[in-house]
Every structure is written in C-alpha cells, then in structure tokens.
C-alpha cells in the first residue's frame, strides 16, 4: 500500500527556479527538498506527480501548469511533448542559451573545483531550426498510440509508422508528420516513402517478432543541397526494393546517392553492415573553409554544419598556432579538427579507435594536400602510451575531443606525462570535461571556456576549454 501511495503522490504549487541536467527544471518542496521536474521550464509553477523519491531529491513530472513562466513560447512542432527530441522548444532561445552557459560554468566550478577562469559568451546558432544535416527514422508496424486512441472504440486504421522511437518505449514508433530539425525536402521525402510503402503493401518492421521488410531510413545532406539516402532492410525483396528506390529517385532529383544494407541482426547499428550503392557515388562531399571531406553512410560528421564551422574555427583560435608546433589530436574522428590545425602547424598526430574513421582521415588529408598529418588507429588508452610518446616528437599543443564519457584516467595520466604547453579540450559533455580538468588542474591552469550551442531546442551544449601548463 505504501508503494502505491508514493507512486500516486502529487506535489502542488512547486515553483521551478533553475534548469538541471538533461533538461529538467528544478524546484523545492515545502520541506526544502530538491524536486527535479520533467515537462516544464524554469519560471513555471506546477503540480508534480512523484516518480522517484530519494534521500536528497525527488524526481517527478509536471501534470498541471498553475502559472506559466515568462520565458515560455509556443512550440513550433505538433509532436512536442511526445517526441523526445526537442525538450526546450517551449522556451525562448535567449533563455536556452542562458541555461546552457550556466550549466557549463556550474560544472567547471562544482565538479572541476575551479573558480578562477574566464567565460566567453556562449556562441549561439543563427539557425535555431532546420540545422541538422542528418536524421534517422525507423519503420514500425505498431505505431505509438495516444491515450485518447487507446480509450477510443473507433477503428485505429493504419498502424504503420515511420518516425522516432518514443522515449522509454523502444518498441513504439511515433508516426512523424513533421520535423523542424532538417531542411526541406526531408519531410517530403519521408512522407512520400511512407505513403508509397503503405499503398504498395510493403511490410514495416516488427521489432518484437523481428520480421518485416522496411527497417530504418536515414537522410543526410551537405551544404550544397545534395542528399544521401540510406535504407536498412530486414530482408531482401529485390523487386520491391528497386521499385521503391526508383520511385524516390524519380520524385526527388536532390538525391545524389542512394545506398542500402540488409540487416537481419538484433540491432540497427550500421557500422558492421555491408553497404550497397544503388545510385550515385555512395557518398557526399563537404567543403569547410577550403578543406574537402567525403561523407559516407558510416561517417561521423558534425550534424550542425554551420555551428561545426564555428566550433572548428574557435578551436584553431584557442590553439593559437604559430607554424612550428607539433600538435596531438586525440579522438580525431575523421580528422576534421586535425586538418584545420595542420594548415597552421608543423605536424599533427591524430589518434582514433574507429578504423573507418582513420581511413577517412588519411584520405581527407591526401585530398587536401596535407602531408604533415599522421593518423593512428586503436583504443586511446592502449595506443596513447609511454612507448608511443617515446617514438614520436613531443607535443607542444594537445587537442582532445572525446565522446560523452570523457577521457579514460590512463589517457589523462599520459597527458600529464607528455606535458604539452597547451591543451584545447573540446567536449559534448561539460560534466565529464570538468571531471577531467580536475585531474589536470595541479599541472594546468584553466584560462578560459567557450560554450557552443550545436543543438538549439535541446539541453545539449558543447564547450571548448583552454588550459596552459603552470
């Protein structure tokens, strides 16, 4: 009985005063206990259904907004609140930037234990919608149903869906009518593909029973308005496949290449699949400040092209290269940052764990005529060792751009042994970045940080930090 009582507990009149991790809003209950609330923004006064109650905080969801925040705006998308992609679409962009910058600063102070540093104003995006150059959608024969549909006695009609996974409900797909994150004709292509598939009886994927034909669909574009489509099919149906592909190519001349893969395994990961090219070159090319990059279906490339340009430019600015430096680029990916640096450095040495990424980095360097880049493949903590350092020139500058988990402690240890004069730390997670900076602070002084907003309408934020050896 006590468990049910806690489950149905409602907190009333909670004033939300701040933003927390993962986009939640923060308030206090009448006892002063912290309440983390989803489905609301700072400034709202809400009633909250308790989901979890811990010793130091409560987690809950807003079930009623008693008083709206002055920072609220009308969400642009009809799917807001169901789709988990744009949790801050109901908050003014100025306030989104304010809370993102505040989160980065607080993480550096609270987790990194550093207070004496300069914060540059967050670099906001000029385009706050239609900024993504890559979107991935899933087919399903069991679309997500609203509570109203579930309670209704009416025929639910077509149960097929092409869209996003519902947060916390991996087997349910939201049938997407619109998405404001990618430019036209993204919506038009997706809707046309679904309409064709339904009209021609093509089977949508059944994730529970692992059967069907159409599985996933990726749209990728470059800054020149050229598009790549990648279909994942659960099984081969040659005639149906070719008719669908020909339909898309005839309808949308912007599609410059169409690729596909047969995927009968348990997950949708593309990286271990054999990609087949049906039309075009199988890749797009992208130009960034005079550098050319080949973008394939498996390539990692920043999904916000315009902000990525700014991020790379600022990283180069923070490095402040004079032309005679040796630079190490850890977690180099496809070597994008490395090649920005190489034009201003004596030599750049990049390390990355993904073989395809390193192959692309080498190819990009050759295309761009950069002969001063060396790239190595392997797990960072196993490649970036004392033996490696002994075989290569000492780094004057080190740039690191790790995944969300940050750097392994052994990697931090090797950086301290390498002792470059300068470290430029690019991060998509300021909490793990702050943790790593804490490990470096005995030997390095944090000079300045620059938050960069790569993903408007979400709580995600990147950060560039400059550290100088003491």
């Amino acid at each position: 009985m006590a468990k049910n009582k806690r489950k149905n507990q409602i907190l009333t009149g909670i004033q939300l005063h701040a933003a927390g991790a993962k986009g939640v809003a923060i308030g206090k209950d009448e006892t002063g206990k912290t309440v983390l609330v989803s489905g609301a923004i700072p400034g709202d006064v809400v009633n909250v259904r308790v989901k979890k109650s811990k010793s130091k905080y409560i987690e809950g969801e807003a079930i009623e907004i008693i008083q709206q925040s002055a920072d609220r705006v009308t969400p642009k998308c009809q799917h807001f609140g169901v789709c988990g992609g744009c949790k801050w679409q109901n908050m003014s962009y100025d306030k989104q930037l304010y809370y993102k910058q505040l989160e980065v600063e607080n993480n550096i102070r609270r987790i990194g234990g550093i207070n004496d540093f300069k914060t540059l104003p967050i670099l906001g995006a000029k385009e706050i919608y239609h900024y993504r150059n890559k979107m991935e959608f899933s087919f399903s024969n069991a679309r997500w149903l609203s509570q109203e549909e579930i309670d209704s006695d009416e025929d639910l009609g077509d149960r097929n869906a092409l869209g996003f996974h519902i947060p916390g409900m991996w087997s349910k797909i939201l049938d997407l009518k619109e998405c404001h994150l990618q430019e036209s004709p993204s919506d038009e292509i997706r809707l046309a593909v679904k309409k064709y598939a339904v009209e021609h009886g093509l089977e949508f994927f059944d994730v529970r029973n692992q059967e069907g034909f159409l599985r996933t669909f990726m749209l990728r574009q470059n800054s020149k308005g050229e598009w790549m489509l990648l279909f994942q099919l659960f099984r081969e149906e040659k005639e149906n496949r070719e008719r669908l592909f020909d339909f898309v190519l005839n309808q949308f001349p912007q599609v410059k290449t169409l690729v596909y893969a047969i995927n009968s395994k348990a997950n949708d990961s593309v990286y271990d699949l054999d990609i087949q090219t049906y039309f075009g070159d199988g890749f797009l090319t992208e130009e960034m400040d005079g550098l050319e990059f080949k973008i394939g279906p498996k390539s990692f490339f920043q999904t916000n092209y315009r902000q990525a340009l700014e991020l790379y430019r600022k990283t180069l600015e923070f490095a402040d290269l004079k032309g005679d430096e040796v630079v190490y680029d850890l977690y180099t990916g496809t070597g994008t940052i490395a090649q920005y640096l190489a034009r201003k450095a004596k030599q750049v040495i990049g390390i990355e764990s993904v073989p395809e990424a390193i192959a692309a980095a080498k190819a990009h360097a050759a295309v761009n005529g950069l002969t001063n880049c060396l790239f190595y493949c392997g797990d960072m903590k196993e490649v970036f060792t004392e033996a490696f350092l002994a075989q290569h020139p000492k780094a004057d500058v080190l740039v690191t751009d790790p995944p969300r988990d940050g750097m392994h402690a052994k990697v931090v240890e090797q950086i301290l042994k390498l002792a470059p004069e300068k470290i430029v730390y690019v991060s998509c997670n300021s909490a793990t970045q702050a943790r790593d900076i804490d490990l470096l602070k005995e030997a390095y002084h944090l000079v300045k940080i620059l938050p960069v907003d790569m993903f408007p309408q979400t709580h995600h934020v990147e950060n560039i930090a400059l550290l100088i050896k003491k």
Side-chain angles (χ1 to χ4, degrees):
M1 294 297 291
K3 181 178 179 181
N4 290 334
K5 183 178 180 181
R6 284 198 299 271
K7 184 177 180 181
N8 295 319
Q9 183 181 0
I10 305 296
L11 303 177
T12 59
I14 301 297
Q15 170 73 56
L16 303 175
H17 58 82
K22 300 182 179 179
V24 301
I26 301 174
K28 299 281 187 182
D29 70 3
E30 59 185 8
T31 69
K33 194 173 185 179
T34 297
V35 183
L36 308 177
V37 182
S38 60
I41 68 170
D44 285 339
V45 179
V46 297
N47 292 338
V48 179
R49 177 180 287 113
V50 175
K51 297 171 72 175
K52 292 182 182 179
S53 184
K54 305 288 187 179
S55 60
K56 294 184 178 180
Y57 63 90
I58 294 169
E59 292 182 17
E61 59 181 355
I63 57 172
E64 183 181 4
I65 299 174
I66 300 171
Q67 181 179 324
Q68 290 194 355
S69 169
D71 301 318
R72 270 189 172 271
V73 296
T74 302
K76 190 170 185 176
C77 182
Q78 64 175 291
H79 299 298
F80 178 79
V82 177
C83 166
C86 299
K87 292 182 179 179
W88 277 1
Q89 202 181 109
N90 57 349
M91 190 193 304
S92 70
Y93 189 55
D94 285 347
K95 278 299 180 180
Q96 291 181 37
L97 295 178
Y98 168 78
Y99 286 114
K100 290 182 183 191
Q101 174 145 346
L102 191 61
E103 177 186 350
V104 173
E105 292 176 351
N106 287 343
N107 282 337
I108 297 295
R109 292 189 175 98
R110 180 175 55 86
I111 301 173
I114 302 172
N115 291 298
D116 181 20
F117 60 93
K118 180 180 180 180
T119 304
L120 300 176
I122 185 169
L123 190 60
K126 293 180 181 178
E127 293 83 11
I128 63 174
Y129 289 102
H130 305 131
Y131 59 82
R132 289 187 66 97
N133 57 35
K134 176 185 174 185
M135 297 291 288
E136 299 176 77
F137 308 100
S138 295
F139 293 91
S140 174
N141 65 353
R143 68 176 175 86
W144 173 81
L145 300 176
S146 67
Q147 192 60 49
E148 290 77 12
E149 288 179 299
I150 294 171
D151 294 339
S152 171
D153 293 330
E154 297 180 9
D155 182 5
L156 297 175
D158 179 20
R159 289 294 306 277
N160 289 318
L162 176 55
F164 297 136
H165 291 274
I166 297 292
M169 302 171 66
W170 186 248
S171 65
K172 299 299 181 184
I173 300 295
L174 171 67
D175 190 35
L176 206 61
K177 307 301 183 187
E178 63 179 1
C179 180
H180 299 278
L181 292 182
Q182 193 171 32
E183 294 178 359
S184 178
S186 177
D187 277 348
E188 293 87 340
I189 294 173
R190 187 189 66 255
L191 294 172
V193 166
K194 192 211 169 185
K195 186 173 184 289
Y196 177 95
V198 170
E199 290 178 349
H200 291 80
L202 305 185
E203 289 189 13
F204 287 48
F205 191 54
D206 185 327
V207 68
R208 291 189 180 278
N209 296 315
Q210 291 286 293
E211 60 185 21
F213 174 50
L214 299 171
R215 185 161 184 169
T216 72
F217 180 43
M218 182 187 80
L219 295 93
R220 196 163 205 164
Q221 69 187 109
N222 63 14
S223 59
K224 295 177 284 188
E226 299 172 336
W227 290 72
M228 168 196 293
L229 307 187
L230 165 62
F231 286 87
Q232 283 194 45
L233 310 173
F234 183 70
R235 61 175 181 248
E236 172 66 291
E237 295 181 11
K238 186 174 185 294
E239 187 173 335
N240 284 332
R241 171 174 58 78
E242 291 181 348
R243 286 179 177 175
L244 170 62
F245 292 175
D246 289 342
F247 163 78
V248 175
L249 292 170
N250 287 331
Q251 289 287 112
F252 300 98
Q254 303 95 325
V255 177
K256 299 304 180 184
T257 189
L258 190 155
V259 298
Y260 72 98
I262 308 299
N263 179 8
S264 58
K265 56 190 177 69
N267 62 68
D268 295 337
S269 173
V270 71
Y271 295 102
D272 57 350
L273 297 179
D274 182 21
I275 306 295
Q276 303 293 319
T277 299
Y278 183 76
F279 172 76
D281 295 325
F283 60 88
L284 299 175
T285 58
E286 187 61 273
E287 186 273 335
M288 303 184 82
D289 286 338
L291 295 169
E292 185 174 303
F293 300 95
K294 185 169 77 172
I295 312 300
K298 297 183 182 181
S299 297
F300 171 79
F301 198 78
Q302 289 283 3
T303 53
N304 186 335
Y305 169 83
R306 298 173 185 89
Q307 284 298 88
L309 270 175
E310 298 302 323
L311 181 76
Y312 299 152
R313 289 166 179 168
K314 290 300 181 181
T315 300
L316 181 61
E317 182 181 309
F318 273 40
D320 190 26
L321 302 175
K322 307 303 182 188
D324 59 351
E325 297 94 341
V326 173
V327 182
Y328 281 31
D329 182 27
L330 308 188
Y331 311 94
T332 192
T334 56
T336 315
I337 290 177
Q339 291 176 67
Y340 261 79
L341 300 168
R343 295 187 294 185
K344 298 285 188 179
K346 178 181 178 181
Q347 185 178 44
V348 178
I349 298 172
I351 307 173
E352 168 61 45
S353 64
V354 180
E356 292 88 353
I358 285 295
K362 292 178 178 178
H364 293 156
V367 167
N368 292 313
L370 298 170
T371 58
N372 60 337
C373 295
L374 292 175
F375 294 105
Y376 295 90
C377 185
D379 185 281
M380 189 64 61
K381 66 180 183 296
E382 295 173 4
V383 173
F384 187 58
T385 61
E386 289 187 54
F388 180 90
L389 299 180
Q391 295 171 10
H392 295 85
K394 184 182 185 307
D396 302 295
V397 178
L398 182 139
V399 176
T400 182
D401 185 7
R404 292 193 63 80
D405 289 342
M407 296 189 292
H408 192 279
K410 289 184 177 179
V411 176
V412 177
E413 182 180 326
Q414 288 303 325
I415 292 174
L416 290 170
K417 291 178 180 178
L418 179 63
E421 292 298 319
K422 187 183 303 178
I423 299 172
V424 182
Y425 192 148
V426 181
S427 175
C428 60
N429 184 347
S430 61
T432 54
Q433 181 189 44
R435 177 204 66 200
D436 294 343
I437 290 175
D438 180 43
L439 298 175
L440 293 164
K441 69 183 181 184
E442 291 304 315
Y444 286 87
H445 171 59
L446 176 62
V447 178
K448 60 183 178 179
I449 64 170
L450 171 62
V452 181
D453 185 24
M454 302 289 286
F455 302 105
Q457 316 308 332
T458 79
H459 61 276
H460 297 291
V461 60
E462 304 254 340
N463 187 48
I464 311 173
L466 173 64
L467 299 94
I468 301 295
K469 189 169 71 172
K470 293 180 178 178

